[in-house]
Amino acid sequence: MFIVDRIEEGLAVIYDDEGKHFNVDVNKINGVVSDGAVVFCDNGVWSVDEAETKKRMDRARARLNRLFN
């Protein structure tokens, strides 16, 4: 699994499960790229995994709600 850590100067800084990072031009990633997005690479083509990104964001939002409520 790859996660977009941040976007700097048109490059998505992407980390893998082992902590290695890659810089990928955001224009070469299919989908809406944002901090925290889950992405995958299939035959050299990067894409956002919308379903997995939503699932991770929902879990994070639920944790914050439990913390502050």
Side-chain angles (χ1 to χ4, degrees), residues 41-66:
C41 185
D42 187 24
N43 292 322
V45 177
W46 288 91
S47 300
V48 175
D49 184 335
E50 302 289 345
E52 188 63 30
T53 298
K54 182 180 180 336
K55 192 181 334 180
R56 288 175 56 90
M57 295 296 181
D58 288 347
R59 283 195 309 254
R61 190 174 300 111
R63 282 192 300 265
L64 281 173
N65 286 340
R66 285 193 306 272

Side-chain angles (χ1 to χ4, degrees), residues 1-7 11-17 19-26 29 33-34 37-41 46-47:
M1 179 182 312
F2 300 96
I3 306 295
V4 176
D5 181 63
R6 63 190 178 278
I7 298 173
L11 295 175
V13 180
I14 299 172
Y15 281 85
D16 68 6
D17 293 335
K20 295 178 188 171
H21 77 279
F22 309 88
N23 295 323
V24 178
D25 185 331
V26 294
I29 302 174
V33 183
S34 63
V38 177
V39 295
F40 62 94
C41 185
W46 288 91
S47 300

